[in-house]
Amino acid sequence: EAQVTQNPRYLITVTGKKLTVTCSQNMNHEYMSWYRQDPGLGLRQIYYSMNVEVTDKGDVPEGYKVSRKEKRNFPLILESPSPNQTSLYFCASSLREGRVETQYFGPGTRLLVL
Amino acid sequence: SQQGEEDPQALSIQEGENATMNCSYKTSINNLQWYRQNSGRGLVHLILIRSNEREKHSGRLRVTLDTSKKSSSLLITASRAADTASYFCATEPGGYQKVTFGTGTKLQVIP
């Protein structure tokens, strides 16, 4: 089954404790992206990746890191989480042929930073 | 900054009625996409319309795009209770690979 998986689905952590949210897709998609969703603000793009070893900042990259060592995986790293990073996070992937086309979303990761 | 802004923010209709929601954006785009989200779950792609298209249909969905007004509308005909969800537009500004989502329209269809 074609899908985007994220782990963990729920996470409670404390300020400053490094964490990684994993994202994996099995569709051989070139384009992958991370979003955060907050009430009243919709989805905002954190980072995106055009292909292996190619990443770029979205609209809200501060406090986040990403890497794309393999085509299928695109982990999101919070080196020193803060309470303002409490949010619902989505990973997405797309078969990009010149343009970003249909994105397939993961189920989301709810993060609470105390 | 938000590229897309949906209007209205919330919409409540009776089952069987049509629902129309609008999206406005700020810069030129390559395509515009509509997504649906059920209560905090992942988004599901509904329909994509390219910048050189004016109207597109998919089942009970009809999307229009007016690039001169930088706006799009999503019409859901003969709505069902199962259509209750939030609907988002997303754009990829021309020449870039970023994707920007609007703030969404929350649709409630009352049985």
Side-chain angles (χ1 to χ4, degrees), chain A residues 31 35 37 40-45 48 50 57-59 88 90 96 99-103 105-107 110, chain B residues 1-2 30-31 33 35 37 40-43 45 48 50 88 92 95-103:
Chain A
Y31 186 95
Y35 299 89
Q37 184 175 27
L41 296 176
L43 278 86
R44 293 178 292 168
Q45 194 171 39
Y48 61 94
M50 302 297 295
K57 297 177 181 178
D59 291 321
L88 177 57
F90 289 103
R96 184 178 186 278
R99 295 286 182 262
V100 179
E101 299 285 327
T102 300
Q103 291 193 77
F105 280 79
R110 286 195 181 274
Chain B
S1 63
Q2 292 292 330
N30 297 312
N31 63 62
Q33 302 173 44
Y35 289 82
Q37 182 183 35
R41 298 188 180 179
L43 279 73
H45 179 259
L48 178 151
R50 302 187 191 282
F88 295 88
E92 184 196 8
Y96 296 92
Q97 293 78 40
K98 288 185 183 181
V99 176
T100 305
F101 280 80
T103 50

Side-chain angles (χ1 to χ4, degrees), chain A residues 7-74:
Chain A
N7 282 293
R9 295 289 313 280
Y10 303 90
L11 181 59
I12 301 174
T13 190
V14 295
T15 299
K17 186 176 182 181
K18 181 180 179 179
L19 67 92
T20 299
V21 184
T22 64
C23 173
S24 182
Q25 50 94 4
N26 62 0
M27 295 168 279
N28 202 36
H29 285 168
E30 293 178 346
Y31 186 95
M32 296 186 75
S33 182
W34 276 102
Y35 299 89
R36 61 177 288 174
Q37 184 175 27
D38 302 287
L41 296 176
L43 278 86
R44 293 178 292 168
Q45 194 171 39
I46 303 171
Y47 270 94
Y48 61 94
S49 170
M50 302 297 295
N51 214 325
V52 175
E53 303 292 1
V54 181
T55 62
D56 208 345
K57 297 177 181 178
D59 291 321
V60 288
E62 295 78 21
Y64 304 94
K65 283 177 57 177
V66 293
S67 68
R68 187 93 181 271
K69 294 185 171 63
E70 305 166 283
K71 199 170 187 178
R72 63 182 292 128
N73 296 323
F74 190 44

